[in-house]
Amino acid sequence: MKAPTFKYLRAESRDEAYAAFTEYGDEGLVLAGGQSLMPMLNMRLAQPAVLVDINPISELSGILLRDQQLHIGATTRHVEVENSMLVAAELPLIGCAIKHVAHRGIRNRGTFGGSLAHADPAAEMPACAVALDATLILQSRAGERRVKAADFFLGVMSTDRRSDELITGIELPAQMSTDAWSFHELSRRHGDFALVGVAATAQRRSIGLDGLRLVVFGCEERPKVSKIAASMSLSRKDVAELATAVADDLDPMSDLEGDAKTKRIQARTLVERSLEDLLGGWPND
Amino acid sequence: MSEPDQIIGVSLPRRDASRLATGRGTFTDDIVLPRMVHMALVRSPYAHALIKTIDIKEAINAEGVVRVITGRDLTEICSPFIAGIEFLPNMISAPQYALALEEVAWQGEGVCAVLAESRALAEDAAELVKIEWEELPAVVDPVAALTTGTPIVHRDLETNLAMTMPIEEGDTKSAFAEAEVIVEHSFEFGRQAGVALETRSVVADFEPAGRQLTVYQSHQTPYQMQDVYARHLELAEHQVRVIAKDVGGAFGLKLHAYPDEMAAVAASVLLGRPVKYIVDRQESFASDIHSREMTASGRLAVTGQGVILGVEVDILSAIGAYSIYPRTSVGDGIQAVQFTGAPYRLPAFKGRVRIVYQNKTPCGAYRAVGQPIGCSIIEQLLDIAAAKLNLDPAEIRRRNHLRSVDMPLKASGGLEFSNVSLDECLTALLAKMNYESLRKDQKEAQKRGIYRGIGLATFVEQTAVGAGLYGPAGVRVSAQEGCSLRLNPSGLVNCSTSVTDQGQGTLTGLQQVIAGTLGIGFDDVTVEAGDGGATPYGGGSWASRGLAIGGEAARLAAIDLRNKILAVAAAITQELPENLTIVNSKIFDGSKCLMDLSELSRIVHFRQDTLPPGVDFEMNVTRHFVPRDFPYFIANGIQASYLEVDIGTGAIKLLEHWVAEDCGKIVNPLLVDEQLRGGIVQGLGAALYEHCLFDDAGQLLTASLADYAVPLASEMPDIHIIHVETPASGTGLGAKGAGEAGTLGAPAAVWCAVNDAIRPLGAQVWKQPFTMAHVLQALNSKGS
Amino acid sequence: MTEMLPIKLSVNGAVVSKLVDPRQHLTDFLRSDLGLTGSHIGCEHGVCGACSVRVNGQVIRGCLMLASQTEGAEIETIEGIVESGEAAELIAAFVARNALQCGFCTPGILLTAAEIVAEGKCLGRQEIRNELSGNICRCTGYHAIIDAVEMVLAEKMKEE
């Protein structure tokens, strides 16, 4: 199938993008990597009047470390994140999870900001952003807004971004060497979206763990930190019990690959494996 | 290199491979003709509905639109398809129109065709066609389809039951009465799609002045399509030429006549212009034939030693809204019954298949037609029996395999066998896979809470179907294959064959047969195929026939050409033809070289004046071959799967896969190996992922490659191959088919392996594909 | 009427100036406007990989990028990497190993494989499998493709 007719606007600067947003409002869609939008266009599931291509805005791309915060520009390609020494060193959770994002050809084109803006509940990067307590930077003619990842994702492909705003970048606190982290994903095939996944970070203490930010994703409408997990400090004997409690607390969506009961069993297994990783101190691959 | 055994039986790279790899293939979408228009279809959004009105006004006036065609516009020039079988008078099918007239019976049935300057513009205009529908209740569930009072799938039918076929041989009643162990099990098989990477494609070019229709089509059987287009468009046979250039995968799905392709061809006749129609991927999922949607229950009676006394099987096969034209949709269900237990000695067999219509995409032949179902049923029953008797799965198979001493014989369901090698294959397989040490590894792993399983699947494969199937059924499909050879002035040979090649490498195999038989070099032969206007009449490519039947035709043609060459050589050299041979493109008398073939060729083409009177200088031969004394060749083998089940998630990880296979004489091991591997991976896809899912209203839920998952490189195991070679007895070449063996046995091997892995937990899977959800379901409902 | 956009780019080393429909994806443009039919359309939703082409040195899905986005870009297709000789070793290995059947996916797989080879990492079979997992082949079962790429990587390691 071929995409429907639309107008293509090449934004060379943020101001040009804002001007287009003002002119076209909800009629316009932002084209970043296009790896989710283009299939929707080609299937005529999206029929925008205008596409605003932000790829030419060079200042939106890049990875910087500043004050223990890693700043990832919105149009930074997944492959750049994957190959970044900074990410590998400062955000090992992302470094691990990025390998689960689709396939080489998609990672070469897809963008970090695009993945967050698209807000697919089964995508890896939104879950990691929540687990890492990232902050999204949104800019518009009206100025800048900073939104915590946990508040940014509102539902299935629904976010707090207004149609006049551009995600310009994401700030992620660098992980400390004393931090533990874990990433697990269950998908039908390598590179597929997650049926269920877990992204988790925690601070190691002399006994057990504290500050557990455990995000189960793929089976609920949006990635969020498990409150039950966050409220506990964890030691090895609690693993099975906590995994069950986290899974029981989920409200999984049924899909073609399984009903809520299936998802809960799978989530419980992955949470248990994640907790063991965190306690073991050595992340899985 | 020219001794036959230096060419036939040797791994040579495919002749087409470099051209295709470098992007120089010509697939149908690559063809561009002057004044060509593009077609897009408006398809039914409902599984079952009446068409009240169609308003095309806005569409006609849209940018770039040349014509908008409805079913009514085609009734004058195009008659509908009705797919029946003469010896199955009870088998009914509704007529299927190129574009539906009044009623649509599946979601995706074509209703209206838009012809425009580009595909994008045609799609734009298709969105502007306004159709008023009256939605009718959809019949989706096959069991419900047979319940009294259920709506009928199409109003041209009186019942949803297409046909019932019972088979009974021997006394199953006594067999089950005498049995020491009886096991039974129910099975569900998910509906699958074939998923050729190149979607179905057609470029039709009707030239009105001479009423010549040329159709470029991504298809397996040009001659069948010539016949279909000629008869349904009321053209003379020789006015229609169908050409299949490079075909991007077929697997049976490009074997049929589809209404949408018929609409494109009819549109070209109406317009007098070339029409291109490329089925897009979503349309492909909705409209390519599906297959294998079946439920089954089976019972097995064995002695205390695990010897089979009897088998009973009852299958319900759901085939969608129409019987696919012209070969019908009943083969899947019939072969499923016939192949339940086919590789084993069965003193008594009772089977039944019921075939039902439903408001879903029509089904048809897909690689290995029905045989994987029969294989999966019996292999499961045997494993369950073996577990009860505490017998090793390999042992229970060995105790029941058909052996050469049993040959020739008629097996269950009227199958006829000769020279199979099941025990040899099993022995070779177990040795190659280190069966005993694998069993040890399995036990060790289980102690660590890791559940691994080994699955074995014995199979027989029906290949190279002969004259006895379609002809007597009144289906106009040729079972012969032909080969024309022409000796050129330089001593090089052109071959033209009815066999078609969608990547199997059959044409390379023919090249080897011809070169080897003639005594010339592999590179001294070129092969042309796929053009129904220029090649000998024949079947094309279906049911693994290319080398077994087409190869024999090529061998016969090469023998005839060789004899002609030697007769001329004898006349020139004053020797006796029976003393002469051709080696390395030279004519020899014993070890004495008499002349080069190129010199002989020069003489027969340019210097006929120098030949003695009466010498036959015509160096063209055409031969055809069709099995007439036997219905098909039975190839056979056994597959093994080793895998791991994650009982916490239901995920299955394939670790390794083996196959020992006997496809008779092997012309090119390199080609056979990759046919087997490719086939196996399609079977693994069936086992793990592939499933066309519909909702209760008959809406297809898996219409993209993201939703319908096919195997990727990442999850597939390495596949080890062992060949056993028992030449077919009915031909001089001795080749049997090899194209379907992999797909046939792989699901059964995985099925057995999964259950072998989780049997210690008291669980077993019963529903293919074995999704994570189903594995968890099995683990949580033990003993089902 | 469709409003066409002018673009100027480099395709296989040659400068190309064309007017394009803004909605046309890159593979359609390459195939229908430039006659580069070696890139194939298998799904148009970014899953199969048959449309893979190289844009500014990286392999992407041609169906998931608009031709209108390629202003100033450098595009390379299978035709380009065949003519430059870059794909010669891979093609030889694919042919020798019978790592293609219908050939519809093969140009896309070769582009992906060429990127893997160029990165020069020493990869095991499973890693090669994962790297190629974005390109669907329905015919071969992948084993022979993995063999072929492994052969070329091993040769390359030997050279270095």
Side-chain angles (χ1 to χ4, degrees):
Chain A
M1 231 175 153
K2 308 299 177 191
T5 296
F6 48 74
K7 196 176 160 85
Y8 169 82
L9 286 182
R10 186 182 154 87
E12 302 276 357
S13 67
R14 278 181 282 186
D15 283 339
E16 282 183 31
Y18 301 147
F21 296 163
T22 308
E23 186 173 351
Y24 297 101
D26 292 339
E27 294 285 281
L29 286 178
V30 176
L31 177 60
Q35 303 302 286
S36 300
L37 179 55
M38 281 293 297
M40 292 169 71
L41 291 169
N42 286 349
M43 293 182 182
R44 298 192 176 220
L45 296 172
Q47 306 218 352
V50 182
L51 281 189
V52 182
D53 185 358
I54 59 168
N55 287 284
I57 311 173
S58 54
E59 73 219 44
L60 295 183
S61 174
I63 303 171
L64 282 174
L65 181 64
R66 210 166 36 205
D67 306 331
Q68 287 309 299
Q69 300 275 326
L70 215 63
H71 180 97
I72 301 180
T75 60
T76 307
R77 313 271 174 210
H78 293 308
V79 66
E80 295 167 59
V81 174
E82 184 182 0
N83 294 337
S84 161
M85 303 296 278
L86 272 178
V87 170
E90 308 296 336
L91 293 172
L93 173 65
I94 299 266
C96 169
I98 195 79
K99 294 186 172 66
H100 293 259
V101 176
H103 308 280
R104 173 179 285 270
I106 302 282
R107 290 196 301 270
N108 280 345
R109 184 79 194 150
T111 65
F112 199 81
S115 175
L116 300 185
H118 186 59
D120 190 313
E124 295 82 3
M125 289 306 111
C128 290
V130 173
L132 290 165
D133 198 18
T135 302
L136 285 95
I137 300 158
L138 297 136
Q139 292 183 353
S140 67
R141 278 188 167 158
E144 182 176 294
R145 223 160 48 94
R146 299 169 64 87
V147 181
K148 285 282 188 190
D151 302 324
F152 181 73
F153 301 104
L154 303 179
V156 178
M157 294 177 195
S158 163
T159 71
D160 186 44
R161 186 184 83 85
R162 298 192 311 254
S163 61
D164 67 337
E165 282 178 325
L166 194 59
I167 300 174
T168 55
I170 300 92
E171 276 179 10
L172 300 118
Q175 291 176 254
M176 299 291 153
S177 56
T178 52
D179 288 355
W181 61 274
S182 173
F183 185 84
H184 280 270
E185 178 174 321
L186 190 64
S187 60
R188 281 197 290 183
R189 302 166 302 176
H190 184 84
D192 281 355
F193 277 116
L195 304 174
V196 181
V198 175
T201 60
Q203 281 91 52
R204 278 193 209 115
R205 298 292 177 239
S206 50
I207 302 167
L209 297 167
D210 247 357
L212 184 56
R213 292 182 68 85
L214 185 142
V215 178
V216 180
F217 67 100
C219 62
E220 291 189 303
E221 291 187 344
R222 62 189 181 94
K224 55 178 191 272
V225 173
S226 165
K227 284 189 185 140
I228 289 183
S231 66
M232 289 182 64
S233 56
L234 181 73
S235 61
R236 196 164 293 276
K237 64 179 178 7
D238 308 323
V239 166
E241 194 188 332
L242 180 55
T244 305
V246 170
D248 286 348
D249 190 43
L250 293 170
D251 184 16
M253 303 180 287
S254 293
D255 62 23
L256 296 181
E257 289 311 306
D259 57 12
K261 187 181 163 195
T262 300
K263 300 282 164 109
R264 198 170 273 129
I265 294 170
Q266 292 169 332
R268 193 204 164 280
T269 300
L270 296 198
V271 170
E272 185 169 0
R273 288 174 190 173
S274 274
L275 295 175
E276 277 162 7
D277 283 349
L278 295 171
L279 285 162
W282 294 106
N284 68 308
D285 65 1
Chain B
M1 185 175 72
S2 77
E3 292 290 337
D5 59 2
Q6 288 179 326
I7 295 185
I8 302 173
V10 174
S11 286
L12 293 174
R14 258 175 66 214
R15 54 192 279 283
D16 280 343
S18 290
R19 181 177 61 81
L20 292 166
T22 51
R24 290 298 301 270
T26 306
F27 296 94
T28 302
D29 192 25
D30 300 339
I31 296 167
V32 175
L33 298 177
R35 296 190 76 225
M36 186 172 82
V37 296
H38 299 260
M39 186 175 100
L41 276 188
V42 180
R43 291 176 178 274
S44 168
Y46 299 110
H48 196 191
L50 295 178
I51 303 164
K52 308 300 281 184
T53 58
I54 303 179
D55 177 358
I56 60 170
K57 280 195 291 289
E58 210 182 328
I60 284 179
N61 292 320
E63 181 185 348
V65 171
V66 174
R67 184 102 176 232
V68 179
I69 295 170
T70 66
R72 293 268 167 244
D73 300 322
L74 295 182
T75 48
E76 289 289 306
I77 63 155
C78 181
S79 57
F81 298 155
I82 302 175
I85 290 183
E86 279 177 12
F87 58 72
L88 295 171
N90 297 330
M91 201 214 111
I92 49 163
S93 177
Q96 195 172 13
Y97 293 87
L99 296 169
L101 284 182
E102 294 167 353
E103 183 180 7
V104 288
W106 49 284
Q107 181 231 327
E109 187 164 356
V111 179
C112 186
V114 179
L115 288 308
E117 283 165 15
S118 74
R119 172 67 181 236
L121 291 171
E123 288 179 12
D124 291 349
E127 291 189 337
L128 303 174
V129 174
K130 292 189 178 67
I131 300 173
E132 190 188 335
W133 303 94
E134 179 185 333
E135 199 181 347
L136 298 174
V139 183
V140 178
D141 177 62
V143 176
L146 294 178
T147 318
T148 329
T150 299
I152 302 296
V153 164
H154 192 287
R155 60 188 180 183
D156 289 331
L157 300 172
E158 286 172 6
T159 158
N160 294 325
L161 182 65
M163 64 169 282
T164 299
M165 188 168 101
I167 301 171
E168 187 152 12
E169 275 152 24
D171 180 0
T172 43
K173 209 169 176 187
S174 308
F176 279 85
E178 288 162 18
E180 282 165 76
V181 172
I182 294 174
V183 297
E184 53 185 275
H185 198 51
S186 294
F187 306 85
E188 288 178 39
F189 299 87
R191 186 179 255 257
Q192 283 175 247
V195 195
L197 205 57
E198 179 210 25
T199 52
R200 290 185 293 109
S201 311
V202 60
V203 175
D205 182 13
F206 183 68
E207 183 273 292
R211 291 189 66 71
Q212 285 291 327
L213 174 67
T214 306
V215 181
Y216 301 90
Q217 188 166 5
S218 181
H219 208 276
Q220 297 168 240
T221 61
Y223 281 103
Q224 171 195 299
M225 296 316 295
Q226 283 183 187
D227 188 75
V228 167
Y229 295 136
R231 283 185 302 117
H232 288 272
L233 293 165
E234 286 187 42
L235 294 165
E237 207 168 43
H238 63 301
Q239 290 175 322
V240 183
R241 180 177 183 183
V242 175
I243 303 171
K245 295 205 158 215
D246 291 312
V247 173
F251 319 120
L253 78 89
K254 292 176 182 168
L255 185 56
H256 311 285
Y258 288 87
D260 50 11
E261 293 172 345
M262 189 75 212
V265 176
S268 176
V269 173
L270 271 187
L271 267 64
R273 287 175 70 169
V275 171
K276 178 182 275 191
Y277 178 55
I278 308 297
V279 174
D280 73 33
R281 182 56 63 188
Q282 290 161 279
E283 290 184 288
S284 161
F285 277 116
S287 66
D288 291 358
I289 54 102
H290 293 171
S291 72
R292 313 246 214 278
E293 179 179 353
M294 294 188 213
T295 53
S297 57
R299 294 175 79 214
L300 173 70
V302 295
T303 67
Q305 282 71 49
V307 175
I308 298 175
L309 296 170
V311 171
E312 287 182 356
V313 62
D314 190 14
I315 292 177
L316 182 62
S317 165
I319 57 169
Y322 299 94
S323 180
I324 193 79
Y325 195 68
R327 294 172 192 241
T328 83
S329 304
V330 297
D332 220 14
I334 291 172
Q335 296 212 142
V337 172
Q338 286 179 328
F339 279 80
T340 303
Y344 302 104
R345 290 189 301 276
L346 304 181
F349 178 83
K350 188 177 174 186
R352 178 178 74 150
V353 59
R354 288 170 300 158
I355 298 176
V356 297
Y357 289 111
Q358 46 179 179
N359 292 113
K360 289 188 184 177
T361 306
C363 289
Y366 164 56
R367 200 172 195 174
V369 191
Q371 299 171 79
I373 310 285
C375 179
S376 292
I377 292 171
I378 192 67
E379 296 303 297
Q380 271 305 292
L381 291 173
L382 277 174
D383 270 8
I384 298 168
K388 272 200 172 181
L389 291 165
N390 207 18
L391 264 180
D392 188 275
E395 184 53 29
I396 197 167
R397 284 166 175 79
R398 195 182 293 283
R399 287 182 190 181
N400 291 288
H401 277 159
L402 289 171
R403 290 189 298 253
S404 39
V405 292
D406 306 316
M407 308 292 155
L409 57 70
K410 275 198 184 268
S412 66
L415 296 176
E416 292 178 36
F417 285 72
S418 62
N419 59 0
V420 295
S421 58
L422 296 166
D423 279 349
E424 293 91 319
C425 286
L426 177 60
T427 303
L429 180 98
L430 297 180
K432 176 86 175 179
M433 66 192 282
N434 292 319
Y435 186 70
E436 296 305 326
S437 70
L438 222 53
R439 285 281 176 213
K440 275 188 205 131
D441 175 71
Q442 179 188 24
K443 282 210 182 72
E444 284 301 312
Q446 203 190 309
K447 285 181 199 153
R448 290 177 284 132
I450 295 167
Y451 291 85
R452 291 187 178 155
I454 302 169
L456 299 176
T458 297
F459 62 89
V460 292
E461 177 196 6
Q462 186 187 68
T463 76
V465 173
L469 179 66
Y470 285 121
V475 175
R476 293 171 64 89
V477 167
S478 181
Q480 68 182 345
E481 298 303 341
C483 176
S484 290
L485 297 181
R486 181 182 86 209
L487 181 70
N488 289 292
S490 308
L492 305 175
V493 171
N494 282 78
C495 162
S496 169
T497 176
S498 62
V499 173
T500 59
D501 190 338
Q502 296 80 39
Q504 300 92 326
T506 319
L507 303 185
T508 300
L510 296 183
Q511 195 174 340
Q512 289 175 265
V513 170
I514 294 160
T517 306
L518 270 175
I520 63 178
F522 175 72
D523 293 327
D524 295 342
V525 182
T526 61
V527 183
E528 291 302 320
D531 183 347
T535 55
Y537 205 96
S541 167
W542 47 274
S544 301
R545 64 202 341 275
L547 269 174
I549 299 178
E552 183 67 2
R555 192 185 72 89
L556 295 173
I559 289 171
D560 281 9
L561 182 59
R562 185 183 66 197
N563 290 341
K564 276 172 164 276
I565 292 167
L566 294 180
V568 174
I572 295 172
T573 60
Q574 303 292 303
E575 302 283 348
L576 290 173
E578 55 269 31
N579 292 341
L580 304 185
T581 53
I582 311 173
V583 179
N584 278 334
S585 297
K586 291 178 176 23
I587 317 289
F588 281 86
D589 180 356
S591 59
K592 191 174 79 179
C593 178
L594 300 180
M595 67 190 301
D596 282 355
L597 178 60
S598 59
E599 172 61 5
L600 181 144
S601 303
R602 186 187 65 80
I603 293 168
V604 294
H605 283 92
F606 304 134
R607 294 303 307 272
Q608 299 91 340
D609 59 306
T610 66
L611 291 171
V615 169
D616 177 8
F617 62 88
E618 298 173 40
M619 292 295 132
N620 281 302
V621 297
T622 298
R623 290 295 304 269
H624 281 82
F625 178 74
V626 64
R628 286 191 286 178
D629 306 334
F630 44 93
Y632 37 71
F633 297 116
I634 290 287
N636 68 266
I638 180 160
Q639 294 193 28
S641 166
Y642 192 42
L643 52 75
E644 192 171 300
V645 178
D646 180 345
I647 61 166
T649 62
I652 295 167
K653 182 176 164 61
L654 302 174
L655 300 172
E656 227 164 338
H657 202 98
W658 299 263
V659 58
E661 207 261 357
D662 186 347
C663 60
K665 169 70 185 172
I666 295 174
V667 174
N668 184 330
L670 182 66
L671 302 180
V672 172
D673 284 358
E674 301 323 316
Q675 273 304 294
L676 288 168
R677 290 197 172 100
I680 284 168
V681 166
Q682 279 188 15
L684 296 177
L688 296 188
Y689 319 113
E690 297 188 32
H691 200 177
C692 302
L693 289 163
F694 290 77
D695 71 9
D696 292 342
Q699 294 286 320
L700 180 63
L701 303 172
T702 49
S704 80
L705 274 173
D707 296 312
Y708 186 94
V710 298
L712 305 178
S714 35
E715 284 70 34
M716 291 301 110
D718 279 347
I719 297 166
H720 311 285
I721 293 169
I722 311 123
H723 295 293
V724 174
E725 230 171 316
T726 313
S729 56
T731 63
L733 183 61
K736 303 173 180 178
E740 296 162 280
T743 310
L744 199 176
V750 172
W751 204 320
C752 291
V754 171
N755 283 343
D756 187 52
I758 62 177
R759 193 165 281 121
L761 299 166
Q764 59 184 338
V765 296
W766 65 92
K767 208 158 54 173
Q768 181 192 303
F770 321 120
T771 62
M772 295 182 221
H774 179 54
V775 171
L776 289 177
Q777 181 187 19
L779 288 167
N780 288 308
S781 56
K782 289 165 190 173
S784 296
Chain C
M1 293 298 280
T2 307
E3 197 181 313
M4 304 292 269
L5 266 178
I7 52 169
K8 188 174 176 187
L9 63 155
S10 151
V11 179
N12 296 328
V15 175
V16 170
S17 288
K18 289 271 180 189
L19 286 173
V20 295
D21 184 343
R23 62 167 147 173
Q24 188 180 41
H25 61 66
L26 177 57
T27 306
D28 257 349
F29 170 71
L30 294 170
R31 288 176 52 80
S32 60
D33 292 35
L34 303 185
L36 294 166
T37 52
S39 310
H40 299 135
I41 295 176
C43 71
E44 294 188 308
H45 44 253
V47 181
C48 78
C51 63
S52 298
V53 292
R54 202 184 276 164
V55 176
N56 297 331
Q58 284 179 315
V59 173
I60 59 120
R61 313 290 213 211
C63 75
L64 297 188
M65 183 171 181
L66 298 167
S68 40
Q69 290 184 282
T70 59
E71 172 65 31
E74 282 180 27
I75 313 283
E76 289 160 282
T77 67
I78 183 69
E79 290 88 350
I81 68 166
V82 166
E83 279 175 17
S84 72
E86 185 192 334
E89 286 171 339
L90 274 169
I91 289 171
F94 270 58
V95 171
R97 192 51 199 81
N98 198 25
L100 64 143
Q101 290 183 28
C102 81
F104 197 79
C105 69
T106 313
I109 289 188
L110 287 169
L111 274 150
T112 306
E115 186 166 288
I116 295 166
V117 171
E119 283 172 8
K121 289 181 202 151
C122 178
L123 301 177
R125 284 182 78 80
Q126 186 58 46
E127 289 166 308
I128 300 171
R129 284 182 176 279
N130 290 351
E131 294 294 345
L132 285 173
S133 64
N135 290 75
I136 292 175
C137 169
R138 189 62 165 163
C139 297
T140 63
Y142 299 109
H143 186 121
I145 296 174
I146 308 307
D147 286 350
V149 175
E150 198 177 30
M151 277 160 57
V152 174
L153 281 176
E155 273 306 307
K156 199 175 150 131
M157 290 298 139
K158 235 190 287 173
E159 283 165 21
E160 278 164 13

